[in-house]
Amino acid sequence: MTETRRKQGKSVFIRTYGCQMNVYDSERMAGLLKPLGYGLADAPDDADLVILNTCHIREKAAEKVYSELGRLKKMKSEKARAGGDMKIAVAGCVAQAEGPEITARARHVDMVVGPQAYHRLPELLARAARDDGDILETDFAVDEKFDRLAKRSADGPTAFLTIQEGCDKFCTFCVVPYTRGAEVSRGVDAIVAEARALAAQGVREITLLGQNVNAWRSAAPSGESGARWGLGELCRHLAKIDGIERIRFTTSHPRDMDDGLIAALGEETKLMPYLHLPVQAGSDKILKAMNRGHTAAHYIRQIEQIRAARPDIAISGDFIVGFPGETNEDFEGTLALVEEIGYASAYSFKYSRRPGTPGAVMPKQVAEPEKDERLARLQTLLEAQRRDFNQRQIGGVLPVLFEKPGRHEGQLIGRSPYLQSVHVTAPQSMLGSIAPVRIDDTTPNALAGVLVKQGEAAA
Ligand code: SAH
Ligand code: SF4
Ligand code: F3S
């Protein structure tokens, strides 16, 4: 067994927690390790290297890491008893926030590497093979990171592409400015090169990622108009790449939603009509305490402006209930805002006190049962809106990008422009293509439909 594996090279198991940025980073880590002979393992048991790519956003997310490390400890010692070796690395936002604590608490962890330093994994692995001292790498070296990453390989017709990292907004509940560092934008040329490489490998849809993706700014490439570009100009530029049929971006911040981006949403047909624009709360008092830098009315006006530019746009958001000082009346403000906007989808959370953030030490923390009750009420409303939105698609025809085989024989699963999963009976040969589908049913989490035959009216 060991012999055969040695012949086949080593294996790495990567478990990813948290946001899409972590999904992207995990993919890039796998890409860095491939030239060193590491193939991807499906389970940790047998892997030579296990990487936990962690999330620090809420207490629950961070706790998961320590329980997973407990399980890995057993596997590591069993493997050692059998004469093998398993290296364990903790990457991501918990690594950044609690690095020294991890090395102290979990002696079996070989490496701790922050989200802006994982390009150094190969040298850290070499160090780990030589000695067993603590390895802690948590510098903020974003530019160096992107320069050092391996060539990108695609996996399927859709891909994430990080264009911006970090956050300067300092919402008082949030750890991201501390775990990911200051806002940094990648240059146009590097982004275009990565998008082209993906398109050449069959990628049809790219999702541009950033903690505040619409804070992306860069000098215009030579020969192009304008001195400084924002996300709107970048999207229009990427839309010119042959093969790229769809462009999405996430996550946007209301304060960075400029006119150039709104105009691009209205005019660039490759930009998908879906916008994730978190607002968090509907009470101005709470928005101020959260340091969001805008009011509820400002957000509502902005959505009106965006809908005027792109009438079919689907809006998605994030919400926090039970931020310190939130009264029932404040919470009613959140419900009222949700009623006013009408969301196609949304994520909602109970406020979680994060060490080191201003919110954690604010007076008037809200009791857990209160948070539970507010979350349940908010989710009932958001869920009803999502169902309505899905049901409104019935009878219509949507272009669907087929991404993967479905659970049933002869079925494919794709995505609508509004990011809904769509189940369709279609041949495997259609994977990676976009075709019109007449929607005839909805399930709680997806749409179902039939391919529109050529010549049939797509009305
Ligand atoms: N950069 C993005 C999202 C960052 S985190 C933005 O600014 O919108 C994703 C979501 O997690 C946030 O939008 C927020 O709703 C939620 N979140 C962040 N910190 C939280 C905390 N301490 N407790 C509960 N939810 C939190
Ligand atoms: Fe966190 Fe606010 Fe920055 Fe989003 S904008 S990452 S919620 S601090
Ligand atoms: Fe979590 Fe870090 Fe993303 S804290 S949400 S993994 S930026």
Side-chain angles (χ1 to χ4, degrees):
M1 176 75 187
T2 327
E3 231 12 72
T4 38
R5 211 168 354 99
R6 203 166 289 146
K7 273 189 210 129
Q8 290 165 349
K10 294 180 238 169
S11 66
V12 54
F13 176 77
I14 309 180
R15 196 185 289 290
T16 308
Y17 303 86
C19 61
Q20 288 126 323
M21 186 86 68
N22 265 11
V23 175
Y24 176 87
D25 290 342
S26 289
E27 203 190 297
R28 303 308 306 259
M29 283 192 263
L32 273 171
L33 295 169
K34 207 168 154 194
L36 303 182
Y38 285 89
L40 278 182
D42 299 328
D45 315 56
D46 211 31
D48 302 288
L49 171 65
V50 175
I51 302 177
L52 302 182
N53 194 11
T54 62
C55 173
H56 202 241
I57 203 82
R58 283 167 290 274
E59 197 180 347
K60 270 215 187 94
E63 273 171 358
K64 276 188 204 152
V65 178
Y66 290 99
S67 48
E68 183 67 23
L69 282 176
R71 280 191 290 274
L72 289 175
K73 187 177 183 176
K74 274 199 210 116
M75 284 181 207
K76 185 177 170 122
S77 40
E78 271 164 30
K79 210 162 173 207
R81 266 199 299 278
D85 185 28
M86 175 194 278
K87 295 273 182 254
I88 300 176
V90 178
C93 290
V94 181
Q96 192 67 39
E98 300 182 9
E101 199 184 329
I102 297 169
T103 46
R105 254 175 84 174
R107 301 299 308 163
H108 57 297
V109 169
D110 300 279
M111 285 157 269
V112 173
V113 56
Q116 311 301 15
Y118 66 76
H119 55 287
R120 296 186 190 142
L121 260 177
E123 63 221 47
L124 301 186
L125 272 167
R127 257 174 72 193
R130 283 197 304 271
D131 59 63
D132 53 51
D134 291 343
I135 298 182
L136 179 63
E137 193 71 60
T138 49
D139 284 357
F140 290 110
V142 192
D143 291 336
E144 181 189 304
K145 175 174 86 176
F146 284 110
D147 287 347
R148 295 251 307 258
L149 290 179
K151 218 168 167 286
R152 185 78 192 274
S153 64
D155 175 25
T158 63
F160 291 135
L161 200 175
T162 294
I163 64 163
Q164 183 276 343
E165 283 214 50
C167 180
D168 298 340
K169 302 290 187 290
F170 290 93
C171 300
T172 52
F173 51 81
C174 186
V175 295
V176 172
Y178 313 97
T179 64
R180 293 271 172 173
E183 286 178 1
V184 178
S185 295
R186 288 178 76 191
V188 179
D189 293 343
I191 296 169
V192 168
E194 197 170 324
R196 283 220 176 97
L198 290 168
Q201 295 173 75
V203 168
R204 296 288 156 263
E205 173 180 305
I206 50 174
T207 301
L208 307 176
L209 296 183
Q211 262 90 32
N212 279 299
V213 73
N214 58 346
W216 181 89
R217 296 283 176 279
S218 183
S222 54
E224 297 287 341
S225 62
R228 259 188 110 55
W229 276 8
L231 184 56
E233 286 81 24
L234 178 67
C235 289
R236 290 180 199 262
H237 191 62
L238 292 173
K240 293 185 208 146
I241 297 177
D242 280 342
I244 298 295
E245 301 298 334
R246 292 178 161 193
I247 300 171
R248 304 179 182 277
F249 54 86
T250 198
T251 295
S252 302
H253 192 290
R255 255 155 70 192
D256 295 319
M257 208 58 223
D258 60 29
D259 292 343
L261 181 56
I262 296 176
L265 273 170
E267 290 159 13
E268 179 49 65
T269 50
K270 287 188 180 178
L271 260 177
M272 288 295 98
Y274 180 96
L275 179 67
H276 185 62
L277 194 63
V279 63
Q280 315 297 354
S283 139
D284 287 344
K285 179 189 97 190
I286 295 300
L287 286 170
K288 189 154 193 274
M290 286 175 162
N291 191 33
R292 290 290 292 179
H294 62 82
T295 60
H298 172 265
Y299 178 83
I300 291 167
R301 263 200 317 276
Q302 206 163 59
I303 299 281
E304 281 168 0
Q305 214 190 330
I306 294 161
R307 281 181 166 150
R310 186 86 178 237
D312 71 330
I313 201 154
I315 304 294
S316 147
D318 289 346
F319 297 90
I320 294 177
V321 300
F323 186 78
E326 188 186 74
T327 62
N328 252 324
E329 201 187 331
D330 294 321
F331 173 65
E332 295 292 338
T334 300
L335 294 178
L337 180 139
V338 171
E339 293 277 12
E340 171 109 25
I341 300 292
Y343 285 89
S345 78
Y347 301 89
S348 46
F349 313 96
K350 286 191 288 180
Y351 171 66
S352 169
R353 279 171 101 155
R354 307 307 291 129
T357 62
V361 290
M362 282 183 185
K364 299 197 198 137
Q365 297 284 329
V366 177
E368 237 13 65
E370 209 121 28
K371 288 188 203 168
D372 286 327
E373 199 229 352
R374 287 178 195 168
L375 186 67
R377 281 178 68 195
L378 176 61
Q379 289 188 337
T380 306
L381 175 60
L382 289 168
E383 195 41 42
Q385 292 192 342
R386 193 170 69 94
R387 263 200 322 270
D388 275 2
F389 181 77
N390 285 347
Q391 250 148 22
R392 282 208 299 277
Q393 315 301 327
I394 293 184
V397 172
L398 295 176
V400 170
L401 169 58
F402 293 104
E403 288 177 20
K404 56 183 181 197
R407 230 185 303 150
H408 305 294
E409 182 83 34
Q411 189 191 51
L412 296 184
I413 300 179
R415 294 256 183 205
S416 78
Y418 310 115
L419 216 50
Q420 297 144 304
S421 280
V422 189
H423 297 233
V424 185
T425 301
Q428 292 275 327
S429 59
M430 290 187 76
L431 275 177
S433 64
I434 299 173
V437 169
R438 188 177 302 280
I439 306 302
D440 57 15
D441 199 6
T442 68
T443 60
N445 297 311
L447 306 177
V450 290
L451 284 172
V452 175
K453 292 193 193 71
Q454 267 188 355
E456 192 184 327

